[in-house]
Amino acid sequence: MSMIDLILLAGCAVGFVLLERLVALKRGQKVLRGGWLTDILHIFVGGAVIRMGMIAIAVVLSVLAFRLVPAPVADAVRAQPVWAQYLAVLITAELGIYWTHRMAHAVPVLWRFHAVHHSSRELDWMSSHREHPVEQLMFSGVALAPAIVFGIEPLPLLIYGVTYHVHALLLHANVRLDFGPLAQVIGSPRFHHWHHADQREAYDMNFAAQLSILDRLFGTFRLPEAGHPERYGVSDPVPDGFIGQLAYPISPPSPSGLNRGPDVVRIDAGADAPRARIACPPR
């Protein structure tokens, strides 16, 4: 991580900690809440792995683009104004993220990687970094592949990357913020908190990253008129520690570690009882 990255991280930390104090959703939640050290390791160690992996993916995609995309097509893309290139990146990336995210909830092997992200029982800006490097490389590769292959210029990619990252921190932050009618189009913190809810009525909803309108288009939108989730996390036995979370997706599954995708029936025996999960045949 470069000095610039450290300065940006420190700026985000100060800004979001202040924001979470000013408009806190869970006022009793500590700044260094449970699991904060694990998330710090995800930021620094996991982040380094992800950056190296993304460099490799970008090189491979650039070689493929050189061989597969005709020069006039790439020139025409780069001739577009910055705002048009940014919109192209935003739309193609959001579609890729939406469907990859939806698959991560539906396919058991992918869910084991994604469950690491959902294992946070307290949400704040740091919990957005709790991501398995393999899964994050898959998400990022799918999101940015069209832009890299068709030759989008660096500036629109940079704008997208910065806005995506800051928005992701805000979505997970411990803040009582909603965007009013705009939340029907752009993901708000309350919208994404419902995605992380460990409550049956909220399972497998709100898959979009920035454009919540995609959930409306594809029938997976949930945003009650008022209120926030009562609890977060998963019942899957995801370890609390960083090393354990890295190993979890490839460790032998336990009976309770079944898919939390749409093709699963959940049986609740009471508010405090563990959920029994019965896998259904794929549709």
Side-chain angles (χ1 to χ4, degrees), residues 1-2 5 42-61 133-134 136-138 140-141 148 242:
M1 181 174 284
S2 68
D5 291 330
H42 276 287
I43 291 174
F44 287 100
V45 182
V49 174
I50 292 167
R51 280 191 294 276
M52 290 187 291
M54 280 307 301
I55 291 172
I57 290 173
V59 170
V60 171
L61 290 175
V134 171
Q136 184 57 29
L137 287 172
M138 178 181 70
S140 298
I148 295 174
F242 176 70

Side-chain angles (χ1 to χ4, degrees), residues 58-136:
V59 170
V60 171
L61 290 175
S62 297
V63 171
L64 289 176
F66 181 77
R67 294 179 176 274
L68 300 178
V69 178
V73 174
D75 291 340
V77 171
R78 286 192 289 268
Q80 302 306 309
V82 170
W83 65 264
Q85 292 187 54
Y86 167 75
L87 286 180
V89 176
L90 176 65
I91 293 170
T92 56
E94 282 295 295
L95 284 168
I97 289 171
Y98 174 89
W99 286 107
T100 304
H101 194 177
R102 193 161 174 175
M103 286 177 59
H105 279 249
V107 180
V109 67
L110 297 182
W111 168 251
R112 287 181 64 80
F113 286 93
H114 192 53
V116 171
H117 180 63
H118 275 270
S119 66
S120 296
R121 290 180 287 275
E122 294 179 285
L123 292 186
D124 63 9
W125 71 278
M126 280 195 297
S127 59
S128 66
H129 295 94
R130 184 178 293 198
E131 298 171 315
H132 197 285
V134 171
E135 182 195 46
Q136 184 57 29

Side-chain angles (χ1 to χ4, degrees), residues 14-25 27 174-177:
V14 172
F16 276 98
V17 168
L18 288 175
L19 184 63
E20 290 178 338
R21 296 304 98 190
L22 291 172
V23 288
L25 173 62
R27 295 193 176 277
N174 176 33
V175 292
R176 187 179 295 275
L177 288 179

